[in-house]
Every structure is written in structure tokens, then in C-alpha cells.
Amino acid sequence: GGPGDTGNNWLTYFNYTFDAKWSSTFRIGGENVKSGPSYTKYTLCPTYKINDNFSVRAEFSSYDYKKYAAAGSATNFGIQAIFKF
């Protein structure tokens, strides 16, 4: 894209609790740019609840690029510690 280019972004997600300790979020999103690079992103985020105030979450994302010569795809992985008070 560039200045004045048009397009849209979108996102859909689904949260699911497997049991008292395990849950996960599944996301699919993307960006469509009229005259620039676009992508679709797939994400999986399993979460383990240690107690009511502390959880650990992993996040794995995969990008599928369109109209972008430098990369056809990419992946991202991260871990979060979540403290609630």
C-alpha cells in the first residue's frame, strides 16, 4: 500500500475452555490492500491456568502473504505470563 491506498482488515476468533485449567483461543484474520501486500494470519493460543491470578499462554501464528515478493509466509511464536490482580 501507500498513502491513500484502500483496503480492509478483518478478524474472527473462537475461545474454548477444555477444563478448569486448559483453554485456547483460535483466530483467523487478515488484511486486504487494493494495490499492496495482503495477508491471512492463523493463530493458536493455548493457555494453562495455574491459579485464579496466574496463567501461562503460548501463541503460535502463521502468516500467508499475497502480493509480497520478499516472503510467501512467516511464523511467530511467543509465551506470555499473565498475572491478574
Side-chain angles (χ1 to χ4, degrees):
D5 204 348
T6 60
N8 61 66
N9 291 49
W10 56 278
L11 175 67
T12 184
Y13 71 95
F14 175 73
N15 290 319
Y16 186 78
T17 301
F18 297 100
D19 59 32
K21 296 286 186 181
W22 287 97
S23 63
S24 189
T25 301
F26 308 92
R27 294 190 307 255
I28 301 173
E31 179 176 74
N32 300 310
V33 179
K34 185 177 178 181
S35 63
S38 299
Y39 68 87
T40 302
K41 179 180 176 183
Y42 305 92
T43 303
L44 171 64
C45 301
T47 303
Y48 181 74
K49 181 179 174 183
I50 295 170
N51 59 43
D52 286 340
N53 297 325
F54 187 64
S55 299
V56 176
R57 176 182 296 152
E59 182 169 322
F60 176 77
S61 296
S62 176
Y63 296 81
D64 180 20
Y65 292 102
K66 297 169 188 66
K67 298 187 286 181
Y68 185 61
S73 64
T75 56
N76 182 34
F77 179 77
I79 297 176
Q80 301 174 16
I82 303 162
F83 181 71
K84 300 177 188 176
F85 56 93

